[in-house]
Coordinates of all heavy atoms in Angstrom, one line a residue:
M1 N 102.6 95.0 106.7 CA 103.6 95.5 107.5 C 105.0 94.8 107.1 O 105.0 93.6 106.9 CB 103.3 95.3 109.0 CG 104.4 95.8 109.9 SD 104.0 95.8 111.6 CE 104.1 94.0 112.0
L2 N 106.0 95.6 107.2 CA 107.4 95.1 106.9 C 108.2 95.3 108.2 O 108.2 96.4 108.8 CB 108.0 95.9 105.8 CG 109.5 95.7 105.5 CD1 109.7 94.4 104.8 CD2 110.1 96.8 104.8
V3 N 108.9 94.3 108.6 CA 109.9 94.4 109.6 C 111.2 94.6 109.0 O 111.7 93.8 108.2 CB 109.9 93.1 110.5 CG1 111.0 93.2 111.5 CG2 108.6 93.0 111.2
F4 N 111.9 95.7 109.3 CA 113.2 96.1 108.8 C 114.1 96.4 110.0 O 113.9 97.4 110.7 CB 113.0 97.3 107.9 CG 114.3 97.8 107.2 CD1 115.1 96.9 106.5 CD2 114.7 99.1 107.3 CE1 116.3 97.4 105.9 CE2 115.9 99.6 106.7 CZ 116.7 98.7 106.0
S5 N 115.0 95.5 110.2 CA 115.8 95.6 111.4 C 117.3 95.1 111.1 O 117.6 94.6 110.1 CB 115.2 94.7 112.5 OG 115.9 94.9 113.7
N6 N 118.1 95.4 112.1 CA 119.6 95.0 112.0 C 119.8 93.6 112.3 O 120.9 93.1 112.1 CB 120.4 95.9 112.8 CG 120.5 97.4 112.3 OD1 120.4 97.6 111.1 ND2 120.5 98.3 113.2
G7 N 118.9 92.9 112.9 CA 119.1 91.5 113.3 C 119.2 90.6 112.0 O 118.9 91.0 110.9
S8 N 119.7 89.4 112.3 CA 119.7 88.4 111.2 C 118.3 88.0 110.7 O 117.4 88.1 111.5 CB 120.5 87.2 111.6 OG 119.7 86.4 112.5
Q9 N 118.2 87.6 109.5 CA 116.9 87.2 108.9 C 116.3 86.1 109.8 O 115.1 86.2 110.2 CB 117.1 86.7 107.5 CG 115.8 86.5 106.8 CD 115.1 87.8 106.3 OE1 115.7 88.8 106.1 NE2 113.8 87.7 106.2
K10 N 117.0 85.1 110.2 CA 116.5 84.0 111.0 C 116.0 84.5 112.3 O 114.9 84.2 112.8 CB 117.6 83.0 111.2 CG 117.1 81.7 111.9 CD 118.2 80.7 111.9 CE 117.8 79.4 112.5 NZ 117.4 79.3 113.9
L11 N 116.8 85.4 113.0 CA 116.4 85.9 114.3 C 115.1 86.7 114.2 O 114.2 86.6 115.0 CB 117.5 86.7 114.9 CG 117.2 87.5 116.2 CD1 116.9 86.5 117.3 CD2 118.3 88.4 116.6
L12 N 115.1 87.6 113.2 CA 113.9 88.4 113.0 C 112.6 87.6 112.7 O 111.6 87.9 113.3 CB 114.1 89.4 111.8 CG 115.2 90.4 112.0 CD1 115.5 91.2 110.8 CD2 114.9 91.3 113.2
E13 N 112.7 86.6 111.9 CA 111.6 85.7 111.7 C 111.1 85.0 113.0 O 109.9 84.9 113.2 CB 111.9 84.7 110.6 CG 112.1 85.3 109.2 CD 112.6 84.4 108.2 OE1 112.9 83.2 108.5 OE2 112.7 84.8 107.0
E14 N 112.1 84.5 113.8 CA 111.7 83.9 115.0 C 111.1 84.9 116.0 O 110.1 84.5 116.6 CB 113.0 83.3 115.7 CG 113.5 82.1 114.9 CD 114.9 81.6 115.5 OE1 115.4 82.2 116.4 OE2 115.4 80.6 114.9
L15 N 111.6 86.1 116.1 CA 111.0 87.1 117.0 C 109.6 87.5 116.5 O 108.7 87.7 117.3 CB 111.9 88.3 117.0 CG 113.2 88.2 117.8 CD1 114.1 89.4 117.7 CD2 112.9 87.9 119.3
A16 N 109.4 87.6 115.2 CA 108.1 88.0 114.7 C 107.1 86.9 115.0 O 106.0 87.2 115.4 CB 108.2 88.2 113.1
E17 N 107.5 85.7 114.9 CA 106.6 84.6 115.2 C 106.3 84.6 116.7 O 105.1 84.4 117.1 CB 107.2 83.2 114.8 CG 106.2 82.1 115.0 CD 106.8 80.8 114.5 OE1 107.8 80.8 113.8 OE2 106.2 79.7 114.8
E18 N 107.3 84.7 117.5 CA 107.2 84.7 119.0 C 106.2 85.8 119.5 O 105.5 85.6 120.4 CB 108.5 84.8 119.6 CG 108.5 84.7 121.1 CD 109.9 84.8 121.7 OE1 110.8 84.1 121.2 OE2 110.1 85.6 122.6
C19 N 106.3 87.0 118.8 CA 105.5 88.1 119.2 C 104.1 88.2 118.5 O 103.4 89.1 118.8 CB 106.3 89.4 118.9 SG 107.8 89.6 119.9
G20 N 103.9 87.2 117.6 CA 102.6 87.2 116.9 C 102.6 88.2 115.8 O 101.5 88.4 115.2
L21 N 103.7 88.8 115.4 CA 103.8 89.7 114.3 C 103.8 89.0 112.9 O 103.5 89.6 111.9 CB 105.0 90.6 114.4 CG 105.0 91.6 115.5 CD1 106.4 92.3 115.5 CD2 103.9 92.5 115.4
D22 N 104.1 87.7 112.9 CA 104.1 87.0 111.7 C 102.8 87.0 110.9 O 102.8 87.0 109.7 CB 104.6 85.6 111.9 CG 103.8 84.8 112.8 OD1 103.3 85.3 113.8 OD2 103.7 83.5 112.7
E23 N 101.7 87.1 111.7 CA 100.4 87.1 111.0 C 100.1 88.5 110.4 O 99.3 88.6 109.5 CB 99.3 86.8 112.0 CG 99.4 85.4 112.5 CD 98.4 85.0 113.6 OE1 97.3 85.7 113.7 OE2 98.6 84.1 114.3
L24 N 100.8 89.5 110.9 CA 100.6 90.9 110.4 C 101.6 91.3 109.4 O 101.5 92.3 108.7 CB 100.6 91.9 111.5 CG 99.6 91.7 112.7 CD1 100.0 92.6 113.8 CD2 98.2 91.9 112.2
T25 N 102.7 90.6 109.3 CA 103.9 90.9 108.5 C 103.8 90.4 107.1 O 103.6 89.2 106.9 CB 105.2 90.4 109.2 OG1 105.2 90.9 110.5 CG2 106.4 90.9 108.5
V26 N 104.0 91.3 106.2 CA 104.1 90.9 104.8 C 105.5 90.4 104.4 O 105.7 89.5 103.7 CB 103.8 92.1 103.9 CG1 104.0 91.8 102.4 CG2 102.3 92.6 104.1
D27 N 106.5 91.1 105.0 CA 107.9 90.7 104.7 C 108.8 91.1 105.9 O 108.4 91.9 106.7 CB 108.4 91.4 103.5 CG 109.6 90.6 102.8 OD1 110.0 89.6 103.4 OD2 110.0 91.1 101.7
I28 N 109.9 90.4 106.0 CA 111.0 90.7 107.0 C 112.3 90.9 106.2 O 112.7 90.0 105.4 CB 111.1 89.6 108.0 CG1 109.8 89.5 108.8 CG2 112.3 89.9 108.9 CD1 109.8 88.3 109.7
I29 N 112.9 92.1 106.4 CA 114.2 92.3 105.7 C 115.2 92.7 106.8 O 115.0 93.5 107.6 CB 114.0 93.5 104.7 CG1 113.1 93.1 103.6 CG2 115.4 93.9 104.2 CD1 112.8 94.2 102.6
S30 N 116.3 92.0 106.7 CA 117.5 92.2 107.6 C 118.4 93.2 106.9 O 119.0 92.9 105.9 CB 118.2 90.9 107.8 OG 119.5 91.2 108.4
A31 N 118.6 94.4 107.5 CA 119.5 95.4 107.0 C 120.9 94.8 107.1 O 121.7 95.1 106.2 CB 119.4 96.7 107.9
T32 N 121.2 94.0 108.1 CA 122.5 93.5 108.2 C 122.8 92.5 107.1 O 123.9 92.6 106.5 CB 122.7 92.7 109.6 OG1 122.4 93.6 110.6 CG2 124.0 92.1 109.8
D33 N 121.9 91.6 106.8 CA 122.1 90.6 105.7 C 122.2 91.3 104.3 O 122.9 90.8 103.5 CB 121.0 89.6 105.7 CG 121.0 88.7 106.9 OD1 122.0 88.7 107.7 OD2 120.1 87.9 107.0
K34 N 121.6 92.5 104.2 CA 121.6 93.2 102.9 C 122.7 94.2 102.9 O 122.9 94.9 101.9 CB 120.3 93.8 102.6 CG 119.2 92.8 102.2 CD 118.0 93.6 101.7 CE 117.1 92.6 101.0 NZ 117.5 92.2 99.7
N35 N 123.5 94.3 103.9 CA 124.5 95.4 104.1 C 124.0 96.8 103.9 O 124.6 97.6 103.3 CB 125.7 95.1 103.0 CG 126.4 93.9 103.4 OD1 126.7 93.6 104.5 ND2 126.8 93.1 102.4
Y36 N 122.8 97.0 104.4 CA 122.2 98.3 104.4 C 122.6 99.1 105.7 O 122.5 98.5 106.8 CB 120.7 98.3 104.4 CG 120.0 98.0 103.0 CD1 118.7 97.6 102.9 CD2 120.8 98.1 101.8 CE1 118.1 97.4 101.7 CE2 120.2 97.8 100.6 CZ 118.8 97.5 100.5 OH 118.2 97.3 99.3
D37 N 123.0 100.3 105.5 CA 123.3 101.2 106.7 C 122.1 102.0 106.9 O 121.8 103.0 106.2 CB 124.5 102.0 106.4 CG 124.9 103.0 107.5 OD1 124.2 103.0 108.5 OD2 125.8 103.9 107.2
K38 N 121.4 101.7 108.0 CA 120.1 102.4 108.3 C 120.3 103.9 108.8 O 119.4 104.6 109.0 CB 119.3 101.7 109.3 CG 118.8 100.4 108.8 CD 117.8 99.6 109.7 CE 117.7 100.0 111.0 NZ 116.9 99.0 111.9
K39 N 121.6 104.3 108.9 CA 121.9 105.7 109.2 C 122.2 106.5 108.0 O 122.6 107.7 108.0 CB 123.1 105.7 110.2 CG 122.7 105.1 111.5 CD 123.7 105.2 112.5 CE 123.2 104.7 113.9 NZ 123.7 103.5 114.4
S40 N 121.9 105.9 106.8 CA 122.1 106.6 105.5 C 120.7 106.7 104.8 O 120.1 105.7 104.6 CB 123.1 105.8 104.7 OG 123.1 106.3 103.3
P41 N 120.4 107.9 104.3 CA 119.2 108.0 103.5 C 119.1 107.1 102.3 O 118.1 106.6 101.9 CB 119.2 109.5 103.0 CG 120.1 110.2 104.0 CD 121.1 109.2 104.4
I42 N 120.3 106.8 101.7 CA 120.4 105.9 100.5 C 119.8 104.5 100.8 O 119.1 103.9 100.0 CB 121.9 105.8 100.0 CG1 122.4 107.1 99.6 CG2 122.0 104.7 98.9 CD1 121.7 107.8 98.5
C43 N 120.0 104.1 102.0 CA 119.5 102.8 102.5 C 118.0 102.8 102.3 O 117.4 101.8 101.8 CB 119.9 102.5 103.9 SG 118.9 101.4 104.8
F44 N 117.3 103.8 102.8 CA 115.9 103.9 102.7 C 115.3 104.1 101.3 O 114.3 103.5 100.9 CB 115.3 105.0 103.7 CG 115.6 104.6 105.1 CD1 116.7 105.1 105.8 CD2 114.7 103.8 105.8 CE1 116.9 104.8 107.1 CE2 114.9 103.5 107.1 CZ 116.0 103.9 107.8
L45 N 116.1 104.8 100.5 CA 115.7 105.0 99.1 C 115.8 103.7 98.4 O 115.0 103.3 97.6 CB 116.5 106.1 98.4 CG 116.3 107.5 98.9 CD1 117.3 108.5 98.4 CD2 114.9 107.9 98.6
N46 N 116.9 102.9 98.6 CA 117.1 101.6 98.0 C 116.0 100.6 98.5 O 115.5 99.9 97.6 CB 118.4 101.0 98.4 CG 119.6 101.7 97.7 OD1 119.4 102.4 96.7 ND2 120.8 101.5 98.2
L47 N 115.6 100.7 99.7 CA 114.6 99.8 100.3 C 113.2 100.1 99.6 O 112.6 99.1 99.2 CB 114.5 99.9 101.8 CG 113.5 99.0 102.5 CD1 113.8 97.6 102.3 CD2 113.4 99.4 103.9
T48 N 112.9 101.3 99.6 CA 111.5 101.7 99.0 C 111.5 101.3 97.5 O 110.5 100.8 97.0 CB 111.2 103.1 99.2 OG1 112.2 104.0 98.7 CG2 110.9 103.4 100.7
E49 N 112.6 101.5 96.8 CA 112.7 101.1 95.4 C 112.6 99.6 95.3 O 111.8 99.1 94.4 CB 114.0 101.6 94.8 CG 114.1 101.3 93.3 CD 115.4 101.8 92.7 OE1 115.9 102.9 93.1 OE2 115.9 101.2 91.7
E50 N 113.3 98.9 96.1 CA 113.2 97.4 96.1 C 111.8 96.9 96.3 O 111.3 95.9 95.7 CB 114.2 96.9 97.1 CG 114.2 95.4 97.3 CD 115.1 94.9 98.4 OE1 116.1 95.5 98.7 OE2 114.8 93.8 98.9
L51 N 111.1 97.6 97.2 CA 109.7 97.2 97.5 C 108.7 97.7 96.6 O 107.5 97.3 96.6 CB 109.4 97.6 99.0 CG 110.2 97.0 100.1 CD1 109.9 97.7 101.4 CD2 109.9 95.5 100.2
G52 N 109.1 98.7 95.7 CA 108.1 99.2 94.8 C 107.1 100.2 95.4 O 106.0 100.3 94.9
V53 N 107.6 100.9 96.5 CA 106.7 101.8 97.1 C 107.4 103.2 97.1 O 108.6 103.3 97.1 CB 106.3 101.4 98.6 CG1 105.6 100.1 98.6 CG2 107.6 101.3 99.5
H54 N 106.5 104.2 97.2 CA 107.0 105.6 97.2 C 107.4 105.9 98.7 O 106.7 105.5 99.6 CB 106.0 106.6 96.7 CG 106.5 107.9 96.5 ND1 106.6 108.9 97.5 CD2 106.9 108.5 95.4 CE1 107.0 110.0 97.0 NE2 107.3 109.8 95.7
P55 N 108.5 106.7 98.9 CA 108.8 107.0 100.3 C 107.7 107.6 101.1 O 107.6 107.3 102.3 CB 110.0 108.0 100.1 CG 110.6 107.6 98.8 CD 109.5 107.2 97.9
K56 N 106.8 108.4 100.4 CA 105.7 109.1 101.2 C 104.6 108.1 101.5 O 103.7 108.4 102.2 CB 105.1 110.2 100.3 CG 106.1 111.3 100.0 CD 106.4 112.1 101.3 CE 107.3 113.3 101.0 NZ 108.1 113.7 102.0
E57 N 104.7 106.8 101.1 CA 103.8 105.8 101.4 C 104.4 104.9 102.5 O 103.8 103.8 102.8 CB 103.5 104.9 100.2 CG 102.9 105.6 99.1 CD 102.7 104.8 97.8 OE1 103.6 103.8 97.6 OE2 101.8 105.0 97.0
T58 N 105.4 105.4 103.2 CA 106.2 104.5 104.1 C 106.3 105.2 105.5 O 106.4 106.4 105.6 CB 107.6 104.3 103.6 OG1 107.5 103.8 102.2 CG2 108.4 103.4 104.4
L59 N 106.2 104.4 106.5 CA 106.4 104.9 107.9 C 107.5 104.1 108.5 O 107.4 102.9 108.5 CB 105.1 104.8 108.7 CG 105.2 105.1 110.2 CD1 105.6 106.6 110.5 CD2 103.9 104.8 111.0
F60 N 108.5 104.7 109.1 CA 109.6 104.1 109.8 C 109.5 104.5 111.2 O 109.5 105.6 111.6 CB 110.9 104.5 109.1 CG 112.1 103.9 109.8 CD1 112.4 102.6 109.6 CD2 113.0 104.7 110.5 CE1 113.5 102.0 110.2 CE2 114.1 104.2 111.1 CZ 114.4 102.8 111.0
I61 N 109.6 103.5 112.1 CA 109.7 103.7 113.6 C 110.9 103.1 114.1 O 111.2 102.0 113.8 CB 108.4 103.1 114.2 CG1 107.1 103.6 113.6 CG2 108.5 103.3 115.7 CD1 105.9 102.8 114.0
S62 N 111.7 103.9 114.9 CA 112.9 103.4 115.5 C 113.2 104.1 116.8 O 112.8 105.3 117.0 CB 114.0 103.7 114.5 OG 115.3 103.3 115.0
D63 N 114.0 103.5 117.6 CA 114.5 104.1 118.8 C 115.9 104.7 118.6 O 116.5 105.3 119.5 CB 114.6 103.1 120.0 CG 115.6 102.0 119.7 OD1 116.0 101.8 118.5 OD2 115.9 101.2 120.6
D64 N 116.4 104.7 117.3 CA 117.7 105.2 117.0 C 117.5 106.6 116.2 O 117.0 106.6 115.1 CB 118.5 104.3 116.1 CG 119.9 104.7 115.9 OD1 120.1 105.9 115.5 OD2 120.8 103.9 116.0
E65 N 117.8 107.7 116.9 CA 117.5 109.0 116.3 C 118.2 109.2 114.9 O 117.7 109.8 114.0 CB 118.0 110.1 117.3 CG 117.4 111.4 116.9 CD 117.5 112.4 118.1 OE1 117.8 112.0 119.2 OE2 117.4 113.6 117.8
K66 N 119.4 108.7 114.8 CA 120.2 108.8 113.5 C 119.5 108.1 112.4 O 119.4 108.5 111.2 CB 121.6 108.4 113.6 CG 122.4 109.3 114.5 CD 123.9 109.1 114.4 CE 124.7 109.9 115.3 NZ 124.6 111.3 115.1
E67 N 118.9 106.9 112.7 CA 118.1 106.1 111.7 C 116.9 106.9 111.3 O 116.5 107.0 110.1 CB 117.7 104.8 112.2 CG 118.9 103.8 112.4 CD 118.5 102.5 113.0 OE1 117.3 102.2 113.2 OE2 119.4 101.7 113.2
V68 N 116.2 107.5 112.3 CA 115.0 108.3 112.0 C 115.4 109.5 111.1 O 114.7 109.8 110.1 CB 114.3 108.8 113.3 CG1 113.3 109.8 113.1 CG2 113.8 107.6 114.0
E69 N 116.5 110.2 111.4 CA 116.9 111.3 110.6 C 117.2 110.9 109.2 O 116.8 111.6 108.2 CB 118.1 112.0 111.2 CG 117.8 112.7 112.5 CD 119.0 113.2 113.3 OE1 120.1 113.0 112.8 OE2 118.8 113.8 114.3
A70 N 117.8 109.7 109.0 CA 118.1 109.2 107.6 C 116.8 109.0 106.9 O 116.7 109.3 105.7 CB 119.0 108.0 107.7
A71 N 115.8 108.4 107.5 CA 114.6 108.1 106.9 C 113.9 109.4 106.5 O 113.3 109.5 105.4 CB 113.7 107.3 107.8
L72 N 113.9 110.4 107.4 CA 113.3 111.6 107.1 C 114.0 112.3 105.9 O 113.3 112.9 105.0 CB 113.3 112.6 108.3 CG 112.4 112.2 109.5 CD1 112.8 113.0 110.7 CD2 111.0 112.4 109.1
K73 N 115.3 112.2 105.8 CA 116.0 112.8 104.7 C 115.7 112.1 103.4 O 115.8 112.7 102.3 CB 117.5 112.7 104.9 CG 118.0 113.7 106.0 CD 119.5 113.6 106.2 CE 119.9 114.6 107.3 NZ 121.4 114.4 107.6
A74 N 115.3 110.8 103.5 CA 114.9 110.1 102.3 C 113.4 110.4 101.9 O 112.9 109.9 100.9 CB 115.0 108.6 102.5
G75 N 112.7 111.2 102.7 CA 111.3 111.6 102.4 C 110.3 110.6 103.0 O 109.2 110.6 102.6
I76 N 110.7 109.8 103.9 CA 109.9 108.8 104.6 C 109.3 109.4 105.9 O 110.0 110.1 106.6 CB 110.7 107.5 104.9 CG1 111.0 106.8 103.6 CG2 109.9 106.6 105.8 CD1 111.9 105.7 103.7
Y77 N 108.0 109.2 106.1 CA 107.5 109.5 107.4 C 108.2 108.7 108.5 O 108.5 107.5 108.3 CB 106.0 109.2 107.5 CG 105.1 110.0 106.6 CD1 104.7 109.5 105.4 CD2 104.7 111.3 107.1 CE1 103.9 110.3 104.6 CE2 103.9 112.0 106.2 CZ 103.5 111.6 105.0 OH 102.7 112.3 104.2
A78 N 108.6 109.3 109.6 CA 109.3 108.6 110.6 C 109.0 109.0 112.0 O 108.6 110.2 112.2 CB 110.8 108.8 110.4
I79 N 109.0 108.1 112.9 CA 108.8 108.4 114.3 C 110.0 107.9 115.1 O 110.4 106.7 115.0 CB 107.5 107.6 114.8 CG1 106.3 108.2 114.1 CG2 107.3 107.7 116.3 CD1 105.0 107.4 114.3
H80 N 110.4 108.7 116.0 CA 111.5 108.3 117.0 C 110.8 108.1 118.3 O 110.1 109.0 118.8 CB 112.6 109.4 117.1 CG 113.6 109.1 118.2 ND1 113.6 109.8 119.4 CD2 114.6 108.2 118.2 CE1 114.6 109.3 120.1 NE2 115.2 108.3 119.4
Y81 N 111.0 106.9 118.9 CA 110.5 106.7 120.2 C 111.6 106.3 121.2 O 112.6 105.7 120.8 CB 109.4 105.6 120.2 CG 109.9 104.2 120.1 CD1 110.1 103.5 121.2 CD2 110.2 103.7 118.8 CE1 110.6 102.2 121.1 CE2 110.7 102.4 118.8 CZ 110.9 101.6 119.9 OH 111.4 100.4 119.8
N82 N 111.4 106.6 122.4 CA 112.3 106.2 123.5 C 111.6 105.2 124.3 O 110.7 105.5 125.0 CB 112.6 107.5 124.3 CG 113.7 107.1 125.4 OD1 113.9 106.0 125.7 ND2 114.3 108.2 125.9
P83 N 112.1 103.9 124.2 CA 111.4 102.9 125.0 C 111.4 103.1 126.5 O 110.6 102.5 127.2 CB 112.1 101.6 124.6 CG 113.4 102.0 123.9 CD 113.2 103.4 123.5
K84 N 112.3 103.9 127.0 CA 112.4 104.2 128.4 C 111.3 105.2 128.8 O 111.0 105.3 130.0 CB 113.8 104.7 128.8 CG 114.8 103.7 128.6 CD 116.2 104.2 128.9 CE 117.2 103.2 128.6 NZ 118.6 103.7 128.7
E85 N 110.8 105.9 127.8 CA 109.8 106.9 128.1 C 108.6 106.7 127.2 O 108.3 107.4 126.2 CB 110.3 108.3 127.8 CG 111.5 108.7 128.7 CD 112.0 110.1 128.4 OE1 111.3 110.9 127.9 OE2 113.2 110.3 128.7
I86 N 107.9 105.6 127.5 CA 106.8 105.2 126.6 C 105.8 106.4 126.5 O 105.5 107.1 127.5 CB 106.0 104.0 127.2 CG1 107.0 102.8 127.4 CG2 104.8 103.6 126.5 CD1 107.5 102.3 126.1
G87 N 105.3 106.6 125.3 CA 104.4 107.6 125.0 C 105.0 108.9 124.5 O 104.3 109.9 124.2
T88 N 106.4 109.0 124.5 CA 107.0 110.2 124.0 C 107.6 109.9 122.6 O 108.1 108.9 122.3 CB 108.2 110.6 124.9 OG1 109.2 109.6 124.9 CG2 107.7 110.8 126.3
C89 N 107.3 110.8 121.7 CA 107.8 110.8 120.3 C 108.5 112.1 120.0 O 107.9 113.1 120.2 CB 106.7 110.5 119.3 SG 106.0 108.9 119.5
K90 N 109.7 112.0 119.4 CA 110.3 113.3 119.0 C 109.8 113.7 117.7 O 109.6 114.9 117.4 CB 111.8 113.1 119.0 CG 112.6 114.3 118.7 CD 114.0 114.2 118.9 CE 114.7 115.6 118.7 NZ 116.1 115.5 119.0
Y91 N 109.7 112.8 116.7 CA 109.2 113.1 115.4 C 107.8 112.4 115.3 O 107.7 111.2 115.5 CB 110.1 112.6 114.3 CG 111.5 113.1 114.4 CD1 112.6 112.3 114.9 CD2 111.8 114.4 114.0 CE1 113.8 112.8 115.0 CE2 113.1 114.9 114.1 CZ 114.1 114.1 114.6 OH 115.4 114.6 114.7
I92 N 106.9 113.2 114.9 CA 105.5 112.6 114.7 C 105.1 112.6 113.2 O 104.3 111.8 112.8 CB 104.5 113.3 115.6 CG1 104.9 113.2 117.1 CG2 103.1 112.8 115.4 CD1 104.1 113.9 118.0
C93 N 105.8 113.4 112.5 CA 105.4 113.5 111.1 C 106.6 113.8 110.2 O 107.7 113.5 110.6 CB 104.3 114.6 110.9 SG 103.2 114.4 109.5
I94 N 106.4 114.4 109.1 CA 107.6 114.7 108.2 C 108.3 115.9 108.7 O 107.7 116.9 109.1 CB 107.1 114.9 106.8 CG1 106.7 113.6 106.2 CG2 108.1 115.6 105.9 CD1 106.3 113.7 104.7
K95 N 109.6 115.8 108.6 CA 110.5 117.0 108.9 C 111.3 117.2 107.6 O 112.1 116.3 107.2 CB 111.4 116.7 110.1 CG 112.2 117.8 110.5 CD 113.0 117.4 111.8 CE 113.8 118.6 112.3 NZ 114.6 118.2 113.4
D96 N 111.0 118.3 106.9 CA 111.7 118.5 105.6 C 113.1 118.9 105.8 O 113.5 119.7 106.7 CB 111.0 119.5 104.8 CG 109.6 119.1 104.3 OD1 109.5 117.9 104.0 OD2 108.7 119.9 104.3
Y97 N 114.0 118.3 105.0 CA 115.4 118.6 105.0 C 115.8 119.2 103.6 O 115.3 118.9 102.6 CB 116.3 117.4 105.2 CG 116.3 117.0 106.6 CD1 115.3 116.1 107.2 CD2 117.3 117.4 107.5 CE1 115.3 115.7 108.5 CE2 117.3 117.0 108.8 CZ 116.3 116.2 109.3 OH 116.3 115.8 110.6

């Protein structure tokens, strides 16, 4: 599993450890530290290329609808969730653009 978030690398690593995700996580990448705009499909294409994975082998989960739309435009499976409405997902699979 990869954690890809806007927080700083240090903060993300601390949170992953605190939540117990560090044992499940292969890598943590800070979009902020890499100057990646998660609202752009290019960001996701660059990330999958950097990781050496195909977009169709990737799942992105976010509470930000614009980030989900960017991931979908890059050909990545994406799920939009609303933390205020647990159990609701707007996107459950691929939406072709």
Side-chain angles (χ1 to χ4, degrees):
M1 177 174 73
L2 169 78
V3 173
F4 181 53
S5 185
N6 291 327
S8 73
Q9 188 76 25
K10 184 176 186 295
L11 174 66
L12 295 174
E13 289 170 0
E14 289 172 1
L15 288 173
E17 184 176 348
E18 184 178 313
C19 295
L21 292 177
D22 56 329
E23 295 178 20
L24 303 172
T25 304
V26 174
D27 202 356
I28 297 173
I29 296 177
S30 167
T32 302
D33 290 354
K34 289 193 166 277
N35 293 319
Y36 280 167
D37 176 6
K38 292 186 349 189
K39 294 183 171 114
S40 167
I42 299 299
C43 160
F44 292 97
L45 293 172
N46 289 342
L47 180 65
T48 54
E49 183 178 329
E50 178 182 331
L51 296 171
V53 298
H54 191 276
K56 297 290 184 211
E57 299 172 332
T58 307
L59 172 64
F60 178 71
I61 303 169
S62 178
D63 63 346
D64 186 312
E65 196 166 344
K66 292 193 183 299
E67 291 177 2
V68 170
E69 289 172 1
L72 290 167
K73 287 179 183 177
I76 290 174
Y77 292 98
I79 295 173
H80 174 253
Y81 77 94
N82 182 341
K84 295 178 184 172
E85 297 177 28
I86 301 298
T88 63
C89 292
K90 185 167 184 178
Y91 302 105
I92 298 175
C93 207
I94 286 186
K95 185 176 180 182
D96 292 322
Y97 283 86

